[in-house]
Amino acid sequence: MKLKKTIIGLSFAVLFLLGGCSKQEKKATSALTKTQVVQKAKSSFKSGQVIQSVTLGTDTSNQVALANTTFGGKTTVYHITNQTTSKGKTSSTEEWVNLNNVYINGQDTWYKADLEKLTGHNYADLTDAIMNNHMITNPSDKLVSAYKMKKSKKDGVYTYTLTAKSTDQALMKKAAAPIFDTTAQSTNQAKIFSQIKKVGKYQSMNFKAVIKGNKLSTFNVFVNMKLGKLMYVKVGQSYGNFGSHDFLRVPDSAANAKDLPTTNTKKK
């Protein structure tokens, strides 16, 4: 009788353990189709980081204009570190941009100015190029059809990689235009970029988007061009760190900036 009770007790214990295990089991996540992944890649974003670059070069040297930008906030603001590299030397500037002004770090003093007068582009141009990037939020049918997908799985989470190559002229121009229009750091540089955009020969373009789980993780686009017989041009835009700067704001030290002094070129 004692043995029978022991067996019954063990049976209940086993059933209890099995029941507990079944509750803890997670339903396996099924892989997304390419169509579903493309839809995930289209998702809008509130904040993140983007690096925009324009490279002009030959076989022996190159010049690079680069804007490393974090963006976000209730009303989007942009924190930009501009870099220009030429002949092995690099110069950099720091600035904040909001709806009203650009704030420039003058080392010991912050200055404010009109963004368009300073660089040739305005807040709306910047927002259109970064926040409303149609290559991400509304890709053309040609781009979507060119995408090839690879997937991997780690710890139950799928990572999907979409890649595409294209030589479609309209698509390349559409991708390059906002980069040319918003990477310039002066009005003179803006004029040069505008000319390159018009007379350069568009050759090829590469896209890459990575979706981890159900969210866009990174997005890159690079357009390759020729300028004359010897010079090449490469423009690029690389996104990442989505959702990392939702509460970004212009710091008080910058917001309390002085007006940027203007140079009077008139002869007295």
Side-chain angles (χ1 to χ4, degrees):
M1 188 70 179
K2 187 175 180 181
L3 178 61
K4 187 176 180 181
K5 287 182 179 179
T6 302
I7 292 172
I8 291 171
L10 287 172
S11 298
F12 277 116
V14 170
L15 287 172
F16 177 78
L17 288 171
L18 289 174
C21 289
S22 64
K23 288 180 182 178
Q24 291 176 3
E25 286 179 358
K26 293 183 179 179
K27 188 177 180 180
T29 304
S30 57
L32 300 177
T33 64
K34 178 185 171 182
T35 301
Q36 291 173 320
V37 172
V38 170
Q39 288 300 318
K40 297 293 182 184
K42 289 182 181 180
S43 59
S44 60
F45 42 86
K46 183 179 178 181
S47 69
Q49 181 178 9
V50 61
I51 298 175
Q52 299 189 146
S53 60
V54 177
T55 302
L56 288 77
T58 64
D59 290 339
T60 58
S61 64
N62 63 51
Q63 299 177 43
V64 182
L66 182 148
N68 187 342
T69 304
T70 54
F71 57 89
K74 187 174 181 180
T75 300
T76 305
V77 299
Y78 303 92
H79 183 205
I80 308 170
T81 300
N82 291 309
Q83 289 186 342
T84 300
T85 301
S86 180
K87 297 179 180 179
K89 295 182 179 180
T90 300
S91 60
S92 63
T93 60
E94 178 193 10
E95 62 190 36
W96 288 86
V97 176
N98 65 10
L99 192 59
N100 302 310
N101 297 293
V102 56
Y103 303 90
I104 307 155
N105 189 347
Q107 295 184 346
D108 295 328
T109 306
W110 283 89
Y111 297 99
K112 64 181 178 180
D114 181 286
L115 179 64
E116 189 166 11
K117 290 180 180 178
L118 194 69
T119 65
H121 61 266
N122 56 36
Y123 179 88
D125 296 328
L126 204 57
T127 299
D128 193 50
I130 295 175
M131 299 296 294
N132 305 325
N133 190 326
H134 296 300
M135 293 294 129
I136 300 176
T137 60
N138 189 27
S140 69
D141 291 339
K142 285 184 179 180
L143 176 58
V144 172
S145 62
Y147 271 137
K148 294 181 179 179
M149 186 180 82
K150 289 184 179 181
K151 67 176 181 286
S152 61
K153 188 177 181 182
K154 184 178 181 181
D155 298 328
V157 178
Y158 280 99
T159 296
Y160 308 90
T161 302
L162 296 171
T163 57
K165 294 182 179 181
S166 178
T167 56
D168 183 270
Q169 292 292 306
L171 196 56
M172 288 188 284
K173 289 177 181 179
K174 188 175 181 180
I179 305 171
F180 276 127
D181 293 345
T182 58
T183 306
Q185 299 164 26
S186 67
T187 51
N188 287 337
Q189 199 173 61
K191 290 176 182 177
I192 294 170
F193 288 174
S194 180
Q195 282 298 109
I196 294 172
K197 183 173 66 172
K198 291 177 183 177
V199 304
K201 292 184 178 181
Y202 294 78
Q203 294 194 311
S204 64
M205 178 172 61
N206 296 289
F207 284 91
K208 183 178 180 181
V210 176
I211 295 85
K212 288 187 177 180
N214 290 319
K215 294 182 179 180
L216 181 63
S217 177
T218 61
F219 181 88
N220 304 308
V221 56
F222 290 95
V223 180
N224 300 297
M225 304 169 63
K226 287 287 287 185
L227 191 63
K229 293 182 179 180
L230 300 176
M231 184 167 283
Y232 70 86
V233 181
K234 185 174 184 178
V235 297
Q237 201 173 36
S238 299
Y239 285 84
N241 296 320
F242 292 109
S244 58
H245 299 283
D246 287 354
F247 303 99
L248 196 66
R249 59 183 291 273
V250 177
D252 292 340
S253 57
N256 296 325
K258 300 177 181 179
D259 289 334
L260 183 69
T262 56
T263 302
N264 189 352
T265 57
K266 294 181 180 180
K267 293 182 179 179
K268 294 183 180 179

